[in-house]
Amino acid sequence: MFYHETENLPRPDLERLQAERLRRTLEIAKRSPFYAGRLAEAKVRPEDIKTIDDIRRLPFTTKDDLRANYPDGMLARPIEDFVRLHVSSGTTGTPTAVYYTQRDLDSWASLVARCMHSTGMRRSDVFQNMSGYGLFTGGLGMHYGAERLGCLTIPAGAGNSKRQLKLLQDFKVTCVHIIPSYALHFAGFLDQEGVDRNSLSLRIALIGAEPHTEQARLRVEELLRVKAYNSYGLTEMNGPGVAFECVEQSGMHVWEDAFVAEIIDPATGEWVEPGETGELVMTNLDREGMPLIRYRTRDLTSFIPGQCACGRTHRRLERIAGRADDMLIVKGVNIYPMQIEQALLATPEVGQNYLIELYREGYIDQLRVKVEIKDEYFVEDMRALQGLQKKITARLRDEILITPRVELVQHDSIPKSQGKAQRVVDLREG
Ligand code: ADP
Ligand code: ZN
């Protein structure tokens, strides 16, 4: 029933396995120039890890550490042992590089296959990977996972909706991997082309790689007529395959035989209370080339208490609220872009894309939200449009507590990037 023998391991056994693997990982990490210094400074030896809770004695690793040791200061093996590298998307600054040995790639593919299996994907499925290939881990990461599961795998890559549609039709594709912002855009394209959804064989969409709301998921499910599953990963922890929703769709199981997940208060570095939101901190337990210890992801989430109905014992993460870096402060109020998305996509007249702009009026920061409106509501009747604008403004104010300027724009008029959506543009100077 499960893909991997550890999926329903009783918690005490799983935690014992984690402690054992953490000791092994420390032995390996010590061989890298970076961790040799870090662990000596912290005066922690592998044998000091008695239970997994002892992980708190270890120092954090930050994105700045990775940047300072770029490109290869974190490697725990000679360079000739490595067979691939990926580079993060660089959404928040200089990208970081991660190197993999053949064994690391094997372990990664198995993790991704396990994730796919937990959504109900099987070897009889035909899988189209609609995310960018190249340095982005969502390409090859998902690709090898699907092959490992045994699916017929189509490396479509990103963009070119016309060709994507042809592939979906010609090869009777049943499952896709697609970035949520592109999924919404693609659904708009299908409408435009008048594609009868019953002519497609789609049943599952794996969506992730960027923050998105439950509203966005519901739209993807309705517009593509699929079940959509949230996929979380980051290059520093291989890429996709870190945490994934199962068929229950109630949070993402983080694979605790391969990772240690902790949630900390970003200010103090201490664990938050169970169920509280904080910064996710991740440790590799099954990587031999470049293991990272207590890596601060900057992603905000919480553990979902209790056990999942699917029977897996690995804990579940709440949908990622965004990155700590994503927070906007306007007029003294903290705002996350996902709060804005939630309000917009819950409004039926709103189309599939939006853009948040920060600008300055005199000395005061202001927020403008450009919102695409579905064609059928983009009418010439000024009064109707004004009414809609008022309604959206009020909904946003209820959600974010300040009044933004709302600009209604036509379907498809906001530029769509091929990779991760850029939701916020900062037009303030200085
Ligand atoms: P970058 O950090 O430069 O974007 P990556 O391609 O490695 O490079 O992206 C990993 C990041 O993408 C994560 O740290 C997280 O912020 C975001 N991310 C990935 N999957 C999800 C998801 N399912 N929900 C929200 N955010 C996600
Ligand atoms: Zn589950």
Side-chain angles (χ1 to χ4, degrees):
M1 171 189 175
F2 296 123
Y3 185 79
H4 193 257
E5 72 223 19
T6 61
E7 284 181 63
N8 62 345
L9 209 59
R11 293 287 319 167
D13 297 341
L14 188 53
E15 287 174 14
R16 216 170 304 125
L17 179 71
Q18 285 191 301
E20 185 187 308
R21 291 193 170 173
L22 181 59
R23 284 191 291 273
R24 185 181 74 189
T25 298
L26 291 177
E27 289 291 355
I28 297 171
K30 272 194 326 191
R31 296 179 208 138
S32 76
F34 172 74
Y35 281 117
R38 252 319 145 83
L39 294 173
E41 239 168 70
K43 298 196 173 57
V44 191
R45 295 159 311 162
E47 57 271 29
D48 296 332
I49 305 294
K50 308 281 187 238
T51 74
I52 195 58
D53 285 1
D54 292 325
I55 194 168
R56 281 184 285 189
R57 303 177 56 182
L58 297 168
F60 292 116
T61 305
T62 63
K63 220 173 178 82
D64 285 339
D65 291 327
L66 260 75
R67 287 173 182 154
N69 291 278
Y70 181 88
D72 56 7
M74 316 288 276
L75 303 190
R77 283 174 165 270
I79 191 82
E80 54 270 25
D81 288 355
F82 292 89
V83 297
R84 194 188 311 157
L85 69 76
H86 279 281
V87 172
S88 73
S89 310
T91 309
T92 58
T94 327
T96 53
V98 174
Y99 295 61
Y100 309 73
T101 66
Q102 188 57 56
R103 188 188 170 281
D104 293 338
L105 289 181
D106 273 349
S107 143
W108 181 20
S110 300
L111 283 170
V112 174
R114 191 199 298 186
C115 293
M116 291 171 164
H117 185 270
S118 79
T119 69
M121 262 177 77
R122 293 293 179 269
R123 64 189 295 271
S124 51
D125 278 301
V126 180
F127 176 72
Q128 184 164 323
N129 193 4
M130 300 170 71
S131 93
Y133 274 66
L135 291 171
F136 177 52
T137 51
L140 293 177
M142 285 291 185
H143 183 100
Y144 283 110
E147 285 189 0
R148 176 66 52 94
L149 188 59
C151 300
L152 174 61
T153 302
I154 307 173
N160 197 342
S161 299
K162 240 194 173 97
R163 193 184 58 184
Q164 299 281 7
L165 173 60
K166 184 161 171 31
L167 293 170
L168 288 180
Q169 289 169 327
D170 290 357
F171 301 109
K172 301 197 172 45
V173 171
T174 56
C175 305
V176 292
H177 170 231
I178 183 167
I179 289 189
S181 55
Y182 182 59
L184 293 172
H185 174 82
F186 186 66
F189 167 81
L190 294 185
D191 282 343
Q192 241 172 351
E193 298 285 301
V195 176
D196 173 9
R197 303 302 199 272
N198 292 325
S199 72
L200 300 176
S201 313
L202 277 183
R203 63 185 201 95
I204 289 176
L206 312 177
I207 56 173
E210 65 182 7
H212 58 287
T213 55
E214 183 64 21
Q215 285 302 330
R217 182 239 290 277
L218 293 173
R219 282 209 178 188
V220 171
E221 292 198 323
E222 188 190 313
L223 294 168
L224 297 181
R225 306 264 167 81
V226 291
K227 279 276 176 201
Y229 296 97
N230 196 354
S231 151
Y232 172 77
L234 62 164
T235 310
E236 292 85 351
M237 292 289 126
N238 296 338
V242 175
F244 228 86
E245 278 181 337
C246 67
V247 282
E248 300 293 331
Q249 292 182 311
S250 64
M252 302 179 286
H253 290 282
V254 50
W255 300 121
E256 293 179 283
D257 57 313
F259 305 96
V260 185
E262 304 169 73
I263 296 177
I264 62 162
D265 176 337
T268 64
E270 298 297 325
W271 287 356
V272 298
E273 294 298 317
E276 261 180 47
T277 299
E279 178 182 349
L280 179 68
V281 172
M282 295 292 297
T283 299
N284 291 110
L285 290 181
D286 195 26
R287 205 155 71 177
E288 65 171 17
M290 184 182 153
L292 297 184
I293 293 158
R294 301 199 87 196
Y295 178 68
R296 292 187 59 158
T297 66
R298 319 260 315 132
D299 292 327
L300 301 172
T301 182
S302 57
F303 283 119
I304 298 177
Q307 234 208 309
C308 187
C310 73
R312 290 181 182 81
T313 50
H314 299 237
R315 283 181 297 174
R316 288 166 298 160
L317 296 179
E318 191 54 79
R319 180 180 292 287
I320 309 284
R323 305 185 200 228
D325 324 65
D326 289 343
M327 193 178 74
L328 311 172
I329 304 178
V330 184
K331 298 177 183 168
V333 180
N334 298 348
I335 301 167
Y336 281 97
M338 285 306 109
Q339 291 176 280
I340 293 176
E341 176 174 300
Q342 185 72 19
L344 291 180
L345 296 189
T347 309
E349 295 91 344
V350 168
Q352 318 303 3
N353 203 0
Y354 63 93
L355 185 68
I356 301 164
E357 288 179 342
L358 283 174
Y359 65 103
R360 200 164 277 161
E361 228 168 40
Y363 292 105
I364 302 172
D365 288 341
Q366 303 281 3
L367 192 71
R368 179 166 44 222
V369 185
K370 288 187 174 162
V371 189
E372 284 188 6
I373 297 302
K374 288 180 187 159
D375 280 341
E376 63 261 42
Y377 298 104
F378 209 87
V379 285
E380 307 226 315
D381 178 354
M382 275 305 277
R383 243 185 323 174
L385 275 181
Q386 273 167 0
L388 180 56
Q389 186 187 29
K390 267 203 189 132
K391 176 168 110 176
I392 294 173
T393 308
R395 285 197 168 188
L396 285 172
R397 190 182 47 232
D398 287 349
E399 184 65 43
I400 61 178
L401 309 176
I402 63 163
T403 308
R405 235 176 89 184
V406 171
E407 225 175 84
L408 306 185
V409 300
Q410 227 166 340
H411 168 73
D412 246 358
S413 62
I414 298 173
K416 171 77 196 79
S417 66
Q418 276 214 345
K420 303 186 187 207
Q422 196 192 356
R423 297 298 191 193
V424 181
V425 177
D426 194 343
L427 303 168
R428 296 171 299 181
E429 280 162 26

